[in-house]
Amino acid sequence: MHISDATVGVLVENQYQEIEFWYPVLRFREMGANVIVIGPSADAVYGSKLGHPVRPEFAVGDVRPEDLDAVLIPGGFAPEALRRNAGVLDLVRAVHDRGAVVGAVCHAGWVLASAGLAKGRRLTSVSVIRDDMVNAGAQYLEDAVVRDGNLVTARLPNDVGSWCREIHAAIEDLPARPARSRPLTPTRRVSAVYDLPVRVKQRAVAPGSANYTQYAAAGEPA
């Protein structure tokens, strides 16, 4: 498959790592791929670790596995929330199982573990989650980038360039397929240009609850 014929989904949640998200979004757009940004909700704004806001183009529930030729999972602390979202895990697992490409960098190995995709696979990640990967059954490698079939993993932001090269190669190895009956065409495009940074904050999921959720707020006091 030529990269210009591919649809590449990039997942986002609060506290995503900026380079690991924006580099593949912009690089694969420049290559001519149809890059779509997918979040738990298409109506929410998600903030990066430094406050860069992203409003997804699609909610995870609006995307079918057959819509995607690749799904990429940036790191930061966003994977901690993504791995607890059943819809995200179902999508990542189904994209993988149909033979399309799954890419994960840094802490995104957590999503692979929770989706059951790490067991028996050669992969890498940020070193602080090495034990998580080994306990999930992975054959952990110290390499900057590891490709095992349709699974492409990388360690850190400095490795994202090489990660994208391997993802590109994996997409090019996919067989060509007929035009989609329902191509994903966003009504708006996620842009790196923003007027106001957001602050990622926490709130209890219910009054008196010890469980907290994160949200991105613009213009609220610290």
Side-chain angles (χ1 to χ4, degrees):
M1 169 180 288
H2 193 273
I3 189 66
S4 62
D5 297 323
T7 295
V8 178
V10 183
L11 297 177
V12 71
E13 245 284 9
N14 283 313
Q15 298 213 32
Y16 71 89
Q17 207 285 336
E18 296 79 15
I19 294 173
E20 295 167 0
F21 173 84
W22 282 112
Y23 188 97
V25 166
L26 298 176
R27 177 165 176 170
F28 285 113
R29 278 185 186 166
E30 185 179 27
M31 290 181 180
N34 176 33
V35 180
I36 64 169
V37 176
I38 306 166
S41 170
D43 298 321
V45 175
Y46 298 96
S48 75
K49 294 171 71 176
L50 298 178
H52 293 256
V54 171
R55 188 184 298 276
E57 293 155 348
F58 291 94
V60 66
D62 296 329
V63 180
R64 305 173 302 176
E66 57 267 31
D67 291 327
L68 303 178
D69 301 297
V71 61
L72 311 186
I73 315 166
F77 296 120
E80 185 174 358
L82 291 170
R83 73 185 304 189
R84 292 185 280 117
N85 186 304
V88 168
L89 297 183
D90 288 345
L91 179 64
V92 171
R93 188 184 303 112
V95 169
H96 171 273
D97 290 350
R98 60 177 291 272
V101 178
V102 174
V105 57
C106 200
H107 287 78
W110 278 338
V111 177
L112 302 181
S114 294
L117 301 182
K119 187 174 182 179
R121 305 301 294 274
R122 297 167 54 253
L123 56 75
T124 191
S125 68
V126 63
S127 62
V128 296
I129 68 166
R130 179 186 186 279
D131 290 346
D132 302 273
M133 299 297 94
V134 172
N135 290 331
Q139 180 185 344
Y140 187 85
L141 301 175
E142 301 289 348
D143 300 11
V145 178
V146 176
R147 178 180 173 188
D148 185 350
N150 62 334
L151 180 63
V152 185
T153 54
R155 294 179 307 186
L156 297 165
N158 284 347
D159 305 316
V160 169
S162 299
W163 182 55
C164 286
R165 281 194 295 273
E166 285 297 326
I167 291 168
H168 181 194
I171 291 172
E172 296 266 336
D173 286 344
L174 295 175
R177 63 176 182 173
R180 296 165 181 78
S181 59
R182 192 200 69 162
L184 292 176
T185 53
T187 57
R188 62 173 184 268
R189 277 293 184 190
V190 166
S191 170
V193 178
Y194 63 95
D195 297 322
L196 181 68
V198 298
R199 184 185 301 276
V200 177
K201 304 177 73 173
Q202 292 185 333
R203 60 185 169 213
V205 297
S209 173
N211 294 321
Y212 287 80
T213 185
Q214 294 181 339
Y215 69 101
E220 290 190 16

